[in-house]
Amino acid sequence: MEEKAQSHHTTRHTLNSKSRTPLLRKPPPLYHVHTNPPPFPSSPQQNLSLVPSNLHSSYYYYYYCFYSQFHNTLPSLPLLPLPTDQRFFHPMTKALPLTPVVERKHQQQPKTQVSEHRNIKVGSTGTATEAALVVAKRPDSGGHEGSVIYLLANHFLVKFDPSQKIYHYNVDISPNPSKEIARMIKQKLLETEPRSFSGAVPAFDGRKNIYSPMEFQEDRLEFFVNLPIPSCNTLMKCCDLREKLPQKKVDKLFRVNMRLVSKFDGKEQRKEGENWAPLPQEYIHALDVILRENPMEKCTSIGRSFYSTSMGGSKEIGGGAVGLRGFFQSLRQTQQGLALNMDLSIAAFHESIGVIAYLQKKLGLLKDLSRNKGRELSLEERREVEKEIKNIRVFVCHRETVQRYRVYGLTDEITERLWFPDRDGKQIRLVSYFKDHYGYEIQFKNLPCLQISRTRPCYLPMELCMICEGQKFLGKLSDDQAAKIMKMGCQKPNERKAIIDNVMAGPVGPSSGTQTREFNLEVSREMTLLKGRILQPPKLKHDRSRNLLESRAFKGTRVERWALMSIGGSPDQKSTIPKFINELTQKCEHLGVFLSKYTLSSTFFEPSHILNNTTLLESKLKDIQRAASNNLQLIICVMERKHKGYGDLKRIAETRIGVVTQCCLYTNITKLSSQFVSNLALKINAKIGGAMTELYNSIPSHIPRLIRVDEPVIFMGADVTHPHPFDDCSPSVAAVVGSINWPEANRHVSRMRSQTHRQEIIQDLDLMVKELLDDFYKALNKLPNRIIFFRDGVSETQFKKVLQEELQSIKAACSKFQGYYPTITFSVVQKRHHTRLFRCGPDHDQNIPPGTVVDTVVTHPKEFDFYLCSHVGVKGTSRPTHYHILWDESEFTSDELQRLVYNLCYTFVRCKKPVSIVPPAYYAHLAAYRGRLYIERSSEANGGSMNPSCVSRVGPPKTIPLPKLSDNVKNLMFYC
């Protein structure tokens, strides 16, 4: 209260003082003004002379109303004529401009005392203590095995002045603007109030944080900014918006408060010896915001990436979506120092078109709407429309406005039958409202409206709404869309490198603005040169053929009891079944897999609609199982097309029937290419219990210092999958796999659990690890001496939490066996990162070879991590996998662990070429995806995210348990 009262005083100061005379005087805080009375007295008897003629009346009223909303100390009185105040309406007072820009309020109070904190380590409980578990340190200076290869990494060295102070200010803007508007406000303040900012050009993240190289004139600042904002105004033609009218601008007033939060520098970083300490996270975040300032002003910002049509234009990918090329940038602390990681990024965005036109492209519905304006949506169509349009932001085109709306769903009634209450509670028909107020006749009265509020009736006709620009595509891309996006990002290494170099040197690059000079930063425009190593591939028990068609499986299985089920298909397609069976059995024989030439009975032909009826589908699968005397090994399902019922088929077969399935499409079996049939045979072999290859020298012989044949090791992998971004109901699914043979270590069983929505930490990890250890004991009659655990899907910010909680869960599982204390190695596997490695020299247009490992220069300064490219890059630019070891009781050297991981990449059960990530993590990802398939189909059957309880729920959503796997399949690799 006292602070607000002080803020009303307006006194003059000298120019060299830290505070200045405000640009505008403020009305005296005497009367409360309602937000919706007429701007002037309605009665001629009222004293109009109270308002000076040189003051623009409408602006004064608007300003006074806005001011009263933010000052709760004003008495709430009815609207009265403003009193004459000679201090305020003095005849010599300078006339106020029509659209004043900025007003600043002084806070007459002593400066806030801000501590200069630098590197306080905070534990998970929020106290300033070290965590009990410390991430593993690098055991040596890096590996030495392999031949040297010179590489370029897309890391750009950032030099900074450690003594440069950075001042962090918290920003609060009311009413809350978009990031684009917030940046416009900041720019207007810099133009009109440079002295308030001490002449500095601060960096702004567009939300709550401003960082400045100089201290502002006051620790607390308040401004009023009147900003002309472009409004949306379009011309409608039929059900789409074809032509835009010239944009008009609407003045909007914002209040801006800034408060000094902290000030810090980079002096505390120790670079040498065991006492090395990283830069404070606050310092890193500040530099990151500073380097993002220039691209944020010129591009669309999504997360850490920036997108612009200037980088190659947009490309329609179908379904109401466009692909945009952009770039990713992030600061990282590496062995060479602070580096900026810059990479190419491709993303899909919603096309900015009318809502009806969008639905026509997305769903193929409503295509006949122009000819049949009275068309209604069926119940199924309504569900599809609501699913696709939910959570998308739209704007209206029947009036000038800057407002954007989020769609929460569709109205239950069609537009023609919608009514809503006005301010007096009188019911108004929606169609009449638009005709009376806007002179617009609703064309499509039988379509539902968009509901843009969670709690109250707030309706917008579809035909008057447009999709806002710059929205990242929600939901899952179709196969065709995903293929087009991948093609946009599929550049050869030299092409990708050229794009990155052009961004760094171009106008949208992080060093092209003024921010680097303001903060004494220097960003190199040259990629980092480093030395990598190429590890030797392991020898396999079967000579590895260059061509899969000539390969043979090392361990082929026997499939004697199997059946074929045809779902849909034309008569011509069905006639190819005998030829397909013949080709498949021959290919299996060639690969060393025995598949009986005769099915147990004739082919089961079923119509496509069976996939829409789970009861009928389960009944048919049981009939097939009974025909095989309940002893079926495999069902091959040939489908006419991809269908959502695929998930039901897998769930019923693997949990209710107890049989492994292999699905394929008629479009593939009619072509019947040798490559397709070979891949199909290898997948069947892997699911039934076979293996494509095996290491010639067993794992113990590769690391004799630590591993012995009589001391078995279990390799585990874990992953968690989450529902799509705007699904706030479905549970997450965790999967853990573990090897059950030794020393081959190429057969893995899985355990899956559903858990709390978007919970990344695996909740039942102790139970799943205990079950896997039980399976290992049953197979080998002894427990493993070592557990090597590969955890997929963890970001760097979660490392410590995952280590503390999941390592404890693993140890808790081991403690359930009396006197059992195995050594544990816990490694995070990261594939979704943006470090790329490029060859130097004449072969720069080729990918780095498999076996390329990097553990210096661009890796963590002290912790145990490395990049390994284990696969053959055929298309695009290879992405190495990042392995970060969080815990290592085995005390591996860099060479030993890198060799172990690379050799394991050759043991993937369904191919002979090395895979891109270590197989246990790969299998965990596949198993988690299978569990997600079970959940999604169960959710859709029960209404899924369409259920209103998902939108307005109280408390966390209930976890849907996964169905229990059949005993016949739970120890098979059915998920491959």
Side-chain angles (χ1 to χ4, degrees):
M1 297 281 286
E2 181 181 346
E3 179 180 313
K4 287 185 179 293
Q6 290 175 353
S7 69
H8 297 309
H9 296 295
T10 56
T11 57
R12 292 191 178 273
H13 302 272
T14 58
L15 286 177
N16 57 5
S17 171
K18 283 194 174 184
S19 56
R20 298 171 53 236
T21 305
L23 298 180
L24 294 177
R25 296 179 186 271
K26 288 174 282 297
L30 299 176
Y31 301 94
H32 173 71
V33 181
H34 293 285
T35 58
N36 58 352
F40 283 99
S42 57
S43 171
Q45 286 78 20
Q46 291 179 337
N47 188 358
L48 296 178
S49 64
L50 296 178
V51 182
S53 60
N54 61 352
L55 179 64
H56 191 278
S57 58
S58 62
Y59 173 73
Y60 172 75
Y61 169 75
Y62 176 49
Y63 178 83
Y64 196 95
C65 291
F66 180 86
Y67 182 86
S68 67
Q69 294 177 44
F70 294 110
H71 295 275
N72 298 326
T73 56
L74 300 180
S76 180
L77 298 176
L79 179 63
L80 297 175
L82 295 175
T84 305
D85 188 336
Q86 294 301 320
R87 291 173 302 162
F88 186 67
F89 296 119
H90 195 276
M92 298 303 292
T93 301
K94 184 179 179 180
L96 295 175
L98 179 62
T99 55
V101 179
V102 179
E103 174 167 356
R104 174 172 161 220
K105 288 177 63 180
H106 296 290
Q107 306 291 333
Q108 300 293 336
Q109 57 187 18
K111 274 200 168 190
T112 308
Q113 296 297 318
V114 182
S115 61
E116 297 189 23
H117 58 84
R118 291 188 177 92
N119 191 29
I120 299 175
K121 296 184 178 179
V122 181
S124 59
T125 60
T127 58
T129 57
E130 276 285 3
L133 297 178
V134 179
V135 175
K137 297 294 186 286
R138 195 179 303 279
D140 44 41
S141 60
H144 301 283
E145 291 184 5
S147 56
V148 173
I149 180 173
Y150 286 92
L151 303 168
L152 288 170
N154 59 339
H155 287 219
F156 298 84
L157 187 63
V158 178
K159 295 181 181 178
F160 61 95
D161 181 2
S163 63
Q164 170 68 58
K165 276 248 188 314
I166 297 178
Y167 299 86
H168 177 199
Y169 291 83
N170 178 268
V171 183
D172 181 52
I173 304 177
S174 300
N176 188 34
S178 66
K179 287 174 110 177
E180 295 76 14
I181 301 299
R183 299 192 71 80
M184 291 168 63
I185 293 171
K186 174 238 177 182
Q187 188 58 38
K188 185 62 69 177
L189 284 171
L190 290 180
E191 292 172 0
T192 56
E193 285 283 293
R195 292 192 181 184
S196 300
F197 300 102
S198 304
V201 182
F204 181 36
D205 68 356
R207 295 193 183 278
K208 292 289 185 182
N209 302 290
I210 275 187
Y211 296 95
S212 173
M214 300 176 66
E215 193 168 8
F216 294 164
Q217 291 292 304
E218 297 288 342
D219 288 349
R220 289 178 179 268
L221 299 172
E222 186 173 50
F223 306 92
F224 283 97
V225 181
N226 190 34
L227 195 68
I229 301 174
S231 67
C232 306
N233 194 10
T234 54
L235 180 66
M236 293 174 298
K237 290 188 179 180
C238 189
C239 61
D240 196 4
L241 305 170
R242 310 291 186 189
E243 183 180 329
K244 289 190 177 182
L245 293 175
Q247 281 192 329
K248 295 184 180 180
K249 293 188 176 182
V250 177
D251 288 342
K252 193 165 186 179
L253 193 62
F254 297 91
R255 187 182 74 168
V256 183
N257 281 303
M258 296 185 189
R259 175 177 57 87
L260 181 63
V261 176
S262 61
K263 45 189 173 182
F264 44 85
D265 54 39
K267 287 182 178 179
E268 286 297 309
Q269 186 187 34
R270 298 182 292 276
K271 296 184 178 180
E272 302 296 337
E274 291 298 323
N275 293 326
W276 177 89
L279 281 168
Q281 192 58 41
E282 186 176 21
Y283 194 79
I284 294 288
H285 183 262
L287 296 184
D288 193 45
V289 171
I290 292 163
L291 292 174
R292 290 165 60 86
E293 180 77 6
N294 184 59
M296 278 192 76
E297 290 179 351
K298 300 170 182 175
C299 304
T300 299
S301 171
I302 304 290
R304 291 188 173 273
S305 297
F306 303 94
Y307 299 92
S308 172
T309 54
S310 64
M311 292 190 63
S314 61
K315 179 181 179 182
E316 284 197 32
I317 60 173
V322 293
L324 269 184
R325 179 181 288 177
F327 61 93
F328 166 94
Q329 72 172 56
S330 175
L331 272 178
R332 301 183 62 84
Q333 293 193 77
T334 64
Q335 291 187 32
Q336 68 170 334
L338 202 59
L340 186 68
N341 181 202
M342 177 75 69
D343 190 27
L344 173 68
S345 179
I346 307 292
F349 289 79
H350 291 287
E351 193 174 357
S352 184
I353 54 178
V355 166
I356 291 179
Y358 171 80
L359 292 173
Q360 289 174 335
K361 287 188 173 185
K362 176 69 176 168
L363 299 175
L365 303 175
L366 311 177
K367 287 188 176 179
D368 59 341
L369 202 59
S370 299
R371 300 185 305 273
N372 184 13
K373 293 185 178 182
R375 185 189 190 289
E376 290 191 34
L377 296 179
S378 67
L379 181 61
E380 184 63 30
E381 287 175 336
R382 175 184 285 269
R383 287 176 178 171
E384 287 292 318
V385 168
E386 188 166 31
K387 181 180 177 182
E388 296 301 336
I389 204 70
K390 188 178 177 183
N391 290 305
I392 290 179
R393 286 181 289 116
V394 299
F395 65 86
V396 295
C397 55
H398 62 280
R399 59 186 174 89
E400 293 179 12
T401 178
V402 297
Q403 200 163 359
R404 304 292 189 267
Y405 307 93
R406 186 179 297 280
V407 179
Y408 289 101
L410 299 179
T411 56
D412 294 331
E413 294 286 351
I414 60 175
T415 303
E416 190 172 29
R417 293 200 288 263
L418 281 176
W419 295 70
F420 66 93
D422 64 6
R423 293 178 181 177
D424 299 325
K426 181 182 178 182
Q427 292 292 320
I428 301 177
R429 190 168 175 238
L430 185 136
V431 173
S432 302
Y433 173 82
F434 276 91
K435 186 173 182 179
D436 296 342
H437 284 73
Y438 302 107
Y440 181 76
E441 182 76 35
I442 301 294
Q443 301 293 307
F444 307 101
K445 298 182 177 67
N446 288 341
L447 292 180
C449 282
L450 303 182
Q451 170 68 292
I452 57 171
S453 173
R454 286 180 183 267
T455 56
R456 58 191 178 88
C458 196
Y459 314 134
L460 290 177
M462 286 189 194
E463 63 197 84
L464 298 179
C465 297
M466 276 193 81
I467 308 290
C468 295
E469 287 183 315
Q471 292 185 83
K472 194 171 182 181
F473 192 83
L474 306 179
K476 186 178 179 181
L477 294 173
S478 68
D479 291 343
D480 184 57
Q481 289 174 323
K484 290 178 179 177
I485 285 288
M486 289 181 65
K487 189 175 181 180
M488 286 183 68
C490 189
Q491 282 81 24
K492 291 182 179 180
N494 57 326
E495 294 172 350
R496 192 182 195 97
K497 180 181 178 299
I499 292 172
I500 296 171
D501 288 337
N502 289 338
V503 171
M504 288 299 297
V508 299
S511 60
S512 298
T514 60
Q515 296 300 320
T516 51
R517 294 192 299 273
E518 285 280 326
F519 290 86
N520 291 328
L521 296 176
E522 183 182 340
V523 183
S524 172
R525 295 192 177 184
E526 300 293 331
M527 287 191 179
T528 299
L529 179 65
L530 54 84
K531 282 196 288 187
R533 293 171 290 114
I534 305 174
L535 303 180
Q536 288 296 313
K539 188 177 180 182
L540 304 178
K541 284 196 175 178
H542 252 280
D543 290 333
R544 186 161 50 94
S545 171
R546 292 178 178 269
N547 190 341
L548 177 63
L549 305 182
E550 301 171 6
S551 303
R552 286 182 63 84
F554 169 72
K555 181 184 177 184
T557 55
R558 295 184 63 85
V559 183
E560 298 177 344
R561 302 174 304 280
W562 68 283
L564 192 143
M565 184 179 186
S566 168
I567 302 177
S570 65
D572 289 340
Q573 289 176 326
K574 293 176 183 178
S575 66
T576 62
I577 291 289
K579 182 181 178 183
F580 165 66
I581 294 174
N582 185 57
E583 289 284 337
L584 181 60
T585 53
Q586 286 185 14
K587 183 59 66 177
C588 285
E589 182 180 357
H590 179 75
L591 292 173
V593 179
F594 175 78
L595 180 67
S596 174
K597 294 183 179 180
Y598 305 101
T599 58
L600 288 177
S601 63
S602 59
T603 300
F604 294 84
F605 292 99
E606 302 295 341
S608 292
H609 66 76
I610 193 175
L611 293 173
N612 297 321
N613 188 329
T614 55
T615 303
L616 181 59
L617 179 61
E618 182 173 346
S619 175
K620 293 295 183 181
L621 290 174
K622 285 181 177 178
D623 290 343
I624 298 174
Q625 178 73 303
R626 278 194 294 269
S629 303
N630 295 324
N631 199 19
L632 199 62
Q633 290 176 278
L634 171 72
I635 299 177
I636 296 178
C637 300
V638 185
M639 302 167 68
E640 181 180 6
R641 56 184 173 83
K642 291 185 178 181
H643 195 284
K644 293 180 180 178
Y646 167 85
D648 290 323
L649 175 66
K650 292 291 184 181
R651 175 178 54 82
I652 294 169
E654 293 160 4
T655 63
R656 305 295 296 274
I657 310 300
V659 64
V660 171
T661 58
Q662 177 59 56
C663 297
C664 55
L665 297 175
Y666 266 115
T667 53
N668 290 324
I669 73 164
T670 51
K671 298 175 185 175
L672 217 57
S673 71
S674 295
Q675 189 70 53
F676 165 74
V677 179
S678 296
N679 288 334
L680 199 65
L682 293 178
K683 291 189 74 172
I684 291 171
N685 183 54
K687 290 180 178 183
I688 302 301
M692 187 62 200
T693 188
E694 188 177 308
L695 298 176
Y696 186 82
N697 296 312
S698 63
I699 292 172
S701 65
H702 297 163
I703 310 174
R705 185 180 71 87
L706 295 177
I707 301 177
R708 297 169 52 184
V709 175
D710 59 345
E711 295 179 353
V713 177
I714 185 171
F715 295 97
M716 291 186 177
D719 191 19
V720 179
T721 66
H722 303 291
H724 63 77
F726 285 95
D727 182 341
D728 60 353
C729 291
S730 301
S732 296
V733 176
V736 184
V737 303
S739 58
I740 54 170
N741 58 341
W742 179 257
E744 299 86 356
N746 60 0
R747 298 294 306 166
H748 293 71
V749 295
S750 66
R751 293 294 181 269
M752 300 177 290
R753 297 283 196 282
S754 59
Q755 60 183 42
T756 303
H757 176 75
R758 301 207 179 284
Q759 172 68 41
E760 182 57 47
I761 302 298
I762 301 177
Q763 293 174 334
D764 293 335
L765 182 60
D766 55 341
L767 300 178
M768 290 189 277
V769 170
K770 168 68 166 55
E771 292 177 16
L772 293 173
L773 290 173
D774 283 334
D775 291 337
F776 190 94
Y777 185 83
K778 290 175 184 177
L780 277 79
N781 204 29
K782 65 188 305 185
L783 289 169
N785 290 63
R786 298 179 192 275
I787 297 176
I788 300 179
F789 194 93
F790 295 99
R791 177 67 157 89
D792 194 9
V794 178
S795 65
E796 293 178 2
T797 57
Q798 298 171 313
F799 278 4
K800 282 197 173 181
K801 187 175 183 181
V802 166
L803 176 61
Q804 288 173 344
E805 299 192 27
E806 295 190 359
L807 179 63
Q808 184 62 36
S809 294
I810 296 171
K811 292 190 173 186
C814 296
S815 67
K816 295 176 183 178
F817 300 89
Q818 188 174 2
Y820 179 52
Y821 304 101
T823 56
I824 300 172
T825 297
F826 192 109
S827 174
V828 169
V829 182
Q830 292 178 304
K831 191 69 177 174
R832 292 185 178 181
H833 63 84
H834 287 271
T835 295
R836 299 291 185 273
L837 302 172
F838 304 93
R839 288 178 184 253
C840 294
D843 53 357
H844 65 281
D845 59 337
Q846 298 178 24
N847 270 309
I848 55 177
T852 300
V853 64
V854 169
D855 57 6
T856 60
V857 187
V858 295
T859 50
H860 194 278
K862 289 296 177 182
E863 294 174 6
F864 192 5
D865 71 325
F866 59 90
Y867 293 94
L868 172 65
C869 179
S870 53
H871 65 293
V872 179
V874 179
K875 289 184 178 180
T877 304
S878 295
R879 175 173 12 201
T881 300
H882 186 218
Y883 296 89
H884 202 123
I885 293 77
L886 303 186
W887 191 258
D888 184 24
E889 295 174 357
S890 295
E891 299 182 348
F892 283 101
T893 65
S894 295
D895 279 327
E896 287 171 339
L897 192 56
Q898 290 162 11
R899 187 190 321 133
L900 172 64
V901 170
Y902 184 45
N903 290 350
L904 285 175
C905 289
Y906 280 82
T907 63
F908 194 68
V909 291
R910 68 184 195 204
C911 66
K912 265 196 170 180
K913 291 181 179 179
V915 289
S916 60
I917 64 174
V918 68
Y922 200 147
Y923 298 142
H925 175 75
L926 294 175
Y929 174 76
R930 181 57 55 85
R932 165 66 48 210
L933 208 58
Y934 295 168
I935 286 288
E936 285 178 349
R937 291 303 294 165
S938 299
S939 176
E940 286 184 19
N942 296 323
S945 58
M946 302 270 300
N947 194 328
S949 64
C950 296
V951 177
S952 58
R953 67 164 190 261
V954 177
K958 294 182 179 179
T959 300
I960 305 171
L962 287 175
K964 186 180 178 181
L965 288 170
S966 167
D967 291 338
N968 293 346
V969 301
K970 72 176 184 179
N971 288 330
L972 296 175
M973 299 180 71
F974 62 92
Y975 47 82
C976 282

